[in-house]
Amino acid sequence: MSAAEVVIARTGVANIASVVAAFERLGAAVRLVDTPEAIKDAEFVVFPGVGSFGAGMHNLRESGLADALFTRIHEERATLAICLGQQLLFEESDESPGIRGLGLLPGRVTRFPNAVRVPQFGWNAVEPGEGCRFLEPGYAYFANSYRVTQLVHGWSGAFSDHGGPFVAAMERGPVLTCQFHPELSGAWGHRLLERWLKG
Amino acid sequence: MLTIRVIPCLDVRDGRVVKGVQFQGLRDAGSPWELGAAYEAQGADELVILDVSATPQGRENQVDTVQKVRALLSIPLTVGGGVRRADDAGRLLDAGADKVGINTAAVHNPQIITDIAERYGRQCTVVAIDAARVEGGWEVVVLSGKERPGLDAVAWAREAAERGAGEILLTSWDRDGTRSGYDLELIAAVAAAVGVPIIASGGAAHPDHLLEALRAGADAVLAASIFHDGDYTVGEVKRLLAQGGLEVRL
């Protein structure tokens, strides 16, 4: 892998050491940024996300990163959104009622049913649907209580099952969004990130 | 379907693995990062590092150890030991831990669970509970057994989950180190009481023990000596669990 420059957005309290380490293992030059300008111009941008939907949106709007993220994905430039990063693209979430998400994608993020363990912690089978270029079948590591259940029109995606099917990841052009943590998904996750960097 | 998880645990003091590791092919069996990488290669679903350093120097080594393990590992890493306040958790998360385990501090000051969960997220907040059998149930043991604050272990697990624990690491104080199998009744009681995942710990010496614990309601099993002694690789154990009918990542 050539030394692709990967810009990781500092979205607040998200612990990003694992994301940094994963891209460094791929030989990428990793830069942490927190300004919209740095995100506009970058070749590869990663939006990691842990924490709550409300706090995540608050941080994105305060820092001005919300518009930059919206624009990048709208223009289909190489962007990877992880976990909460994927959820924030939607309109709203059960986690923080009344808080507007980025609204780039239609739909609501909902909580897993009580019949299963919540949070979902661990490895779940990922089954890509038609048109996926990056996503392959395998096991990915999840740590989440909320998810979307409907694939967005115009996107390809992969599903997993935890108390019913949910969207494990989506892709459209060079944009990849993952409910799971590719950086913690072992060799499978490593290869996924490698394919994303190769375009 | 979500798979069960098999999690090797390394006890580390001052940057070195303290329980002997016997299996072949390691240049340095005392190096947490070399061992961690070996376990990942065997198929470990996560790694837990329990840091038992007591000195300030040991605490500094802890961050260094976590950074080195993180650089090599692409599976989740939980670090426990010496977390007294939310800042301690932040230090470990910055170094590359994905989750932090809190035990004694959570019992003495339950607010720390909420503090860590609110600041860093529930997904990185693991409450470790050491439970000893008493008449009619189990009680919580802290300070490596030196103190029994009179808490019912099942009720404490429920409270910890309500306060923000994303996961419970449940160790049977009676079974730990005995190689006689997990305390299955304890696992079943806590699994029924909380909605968050449970990692069972204490007493594993044979793959059947892990199978029993997972059937009793554990979502994940932690084990140390069964792997350290080289009797079984993580992969061998996981294949046996799959043959036992469990959903396993192979």
Side-chain angles (χ1 to χ4, degrees):
Chain A
M1 183 63 54
S2 62
E5 189 185 62
V6 174
V7 159
I8 300 178
R10 297 188 71 100
T11 49
V13 295
N15 59 314
I16 50 180
S18 300
V19 181
V20 172
F23 280 103
E24 286 181 344
R25 280 192 295 272
L26 282 159
V30 174
R31 200 153 58 89
L32 304 181
V33 305
D34 53 13
T35 63
E37 293 72 32
I39 282 162
K40 267 183 209 133
D41 303 330
E43 189 181 3
F44 296 98
V45 169
V46 180
F47 276 88
V50 294
S52 72
F53 190 88
M57 270 320 298
H58 179 78
N59 289 336
L60 277 186
R61 293 203 202 283
E62 285 278 294
S63 58
L65 297 178
D67 287 345
L69 173 60
F70 190 101
T71 304
R72 275 195 76 91
I73 295 181
H74 189 67
E75 293 175 352
E76 294 193 18
R77 300 178 58 204
T79 307
L80 168 64
I82 300 173
C83 197
L84 179 68
Q86 173 179 279
Q87 296 178 8
L88 293 174
L89 304 179
F90 288 85
E91 292 167 314
E92 53 187 351
S93 171
D94 281 356
E95 186 176 16
S96 307
I99 305 286
R100 272 188 310 122
L102 281 172
L104 182 65
L105 305 176
R108 182 182 179 91
V109 184
T110 51
R111 193 177 183 275
F112 283 117
N114 282 327
V116 291
R117 292 271 178 216
V118 183
Q120 168 183 226
F121 259 136
W123 300 77
N124 204 330
V126 172
E127 292 171 18
E130 224 170 282
C132 289
R133 296 189 306 131
F134 302 132
L135 295 159
E136 290 187 351
Y139 285 99
Y141 183 83
F142 291 83
N144 63 310
S145 300
Y146 302 86
R147 84 291 194 235
V148 289
T149 53
Q150 300 284 330
L151 191 59
V152 177
H153 182 72
W155 290 68
S156 298
F159 279 84
S160 296
D161 195 301
H162 188 56
F166 68 95
V167 177
M170 305 193 300
E171 56 172 279
R172 176 169 166 153
V175 179
L176 175 63
T177 73
C178 302
Q179 180 55 67
F180 53 80
H181 289 271
E183 76 279 15
L184 298 177
S185 295
W188 181 87
H190 181 89
R191 290 193 299 271
L192 174 62
L193 295 177
E194 191 172 44
R195 286 191 295 277
W196 177 67
L197 283 180
K198 281 180 178 161
Chain B
M1 281 271 287
L2 197 59
T3 68
I4 59 86
R5 286 171 285 155
V6 176
I7 308 176
C9 176
L10 300 177
D11 286 354
V12 171
R13 177 182 290 142
D14 300 332
R16 304 286 297 168
V17 176
V18 288
K19 275 185 195 164
V21 175
Q22 308 294 332
F23 63 78
Q24 301 294 307
L26 291 172
R27 280 179 299 130
D28 177 2
S31 152
W33 45 95
E34 194 180 347
L35 260 171
Y39 281 133
E40 176 177 334
Q42 287 185 2
D45 294 306
E46 297 185 26
L47 185 72
V48 168
I49 289 182
L50 183 61
D51 195 307
V52 295
S53 306
T55 63
Q57 183 58 42
R59 292 269 167 262
E60 279 178 36
N61 288 338
Q62 190 180 32
V63 166
D64 180 62
T65 297
V66 172
Q67 286 172 338
K68 286 180 168 142
V69 173
R70 174 77 285 151
L72 286 174
L73 255 67
S74 56
I75 56 173
L77 172 64
T78 301
V79 181
V83 176
R84 299 273 172 268
R85 54 189 72 83
D87 288 345
D88 296 331
R91 199 166 43 91
L92 294 172
L93 294 168
D94 282 345
D98 301 295
K99 315 182 210 179
V100 291
I102 33 177
N103 189 338
T104 300
V107 171
H108 288 163
N109 172 26
Q111 179 63 28
I112 189 182
I113 304 171
T114 318
D115 289 347
I116 294 175
E118 282 181 354
R119 201 184 301 180
Y120 305 107
R122 192 183 180 91
Q123 82 293 331
C124 65
T125 311
V126 179
V127 171
I129 299 175
D130 293 343
R133 266 184 188 267
V134 289
E135 185 76 31
W138 298 266
E139 71 173 358
V140 175
V141 170
V142 293
L143 290 174
S144 308
K146 289 198 274 288
E147 186 187 321
R148 295 193 176 206
L151 274 177
D152 176 77
V154 177
W156 171 235
R158 196 180 293 123
E159 182 182 341
E162 281 164 6
R163 284 180 176 275
E167 195 162 42
I168 303 288
L169 170 53
L170 181 65
T171 302
S172 164
W173 184 252
D174 314 291
R175 299 295 182 91
D176 203 22
T178 64
R179 305 179 67 87
S180 58
Y182 297 91
D183 185 336
L184 304 180
E185 291 172 12
L186 171 65
I187 293 166
V190 175
V194 301
V196 301
I198 293 159
I199 306 170
S201 162
H206 189 275
D208 284 347
H209 292 151
L210 282 70
L211 186 63
E212 290 163 358
L214 293 160
R215 284 181 174 157
D219 301 278
V221 277
L222 186 99
S225 57
I226 183 172
F227 302 128
H228 298 343
D229 294 350
D231 297 340
Y232 297 91
T233 66
V234 178
E236 284 165 356
V237 166
K238 288 177 74 175
R239 278 187 287 280
L240 290 169
L241 296 176
Q243 286 168 19
L246 298 176
E247 201 77 27
V248 178
R249 176 183 72 108
L250 291 172

